[in-house]
Amino acid sequence: QVQLVESGGGLVQSGGSLRLSCAPSGRIFSDYAMGWFRQAPGKEREFVAAIQWTTASTDYSDSVKVRFTISRDYAKNTVYLQMNNLKPEDTAVYYCAVGRALTTQYSGYHGWGQGTQVTVSS
């Protein structure tokens, strides 16, 4: 089973930037996708972005489109989430996930990291 380890969270002021990283410990099959979800206190976990491992096709939620960029480094076996122009409403625990296809649905992912906290102050 693939283990996922996120890093890069922290505290940043509104308008600032952070880059999250996710390093899977096991093999990522060519048809797999990697996704980022987030969960704010009292809210459900929501889709942020996803990338197909081989083709690098991407998908984003409307709330982060333009501001966030998901990418993967094939050689380093790592997925990144570059977050620019952060807003207080982006404050949440961010989770990396692996799934068998590119999807925005939570149920489409079978492996999850432990999460990394992102806090945006106003």
Side-chain angles (χ1 to χ4, degrees), residues 9 18 31 34 37 40-41 43 48-49 54 56 64 67 72 81 95 98-99 101 106-107 116:
L18 283 174
D31 56 346
M34 301 294 296
F37 286 72
K43 295 187 177 181
V48 175
T54 302
V64 307
R67 299 187 298 123
R72 59 101 174 92
L81 184 68
Y95 296 91
V98 59
Y106 174 90
S107 59
T116 184

Side-chain angles (χ1 to χ4, degrees), residues 35-95:
W36 287 96
F37 286 72
R38 66 187 182 186
Q39 188 166 18
K43 295 187 177 181
E44 293 186 351
R45 194 170 297 190
E46 64 172 358
F47 171 77
V48 175
I51 187 166
Q52 205 285 330
W53 188 248
T54 302
T55 68
S57 297
T58 59
D59 199 357
Y60 296 91
S61 70
D62 289 341
S63 62
V64 307
K65 198 173 294 185
V66 176
R67 299 187 298 123
F68 290 11
T69 302
I70 189 170
S71 63
R72 59 101 174 92
D73 186 322
Y74 206 80
K76 294 183 178 180
N77 209 45
T78 300
V79 174
Y80 303 99
L81 184 68
Q82 177 67 42
M83 305 184 294
N84 297 327
N85 191 22
L86 283 160
K87 304 175 181 180
E89 51 263 42
D90 294 317
T91 294
V93 177
Y94 283 69
Y95 296 91

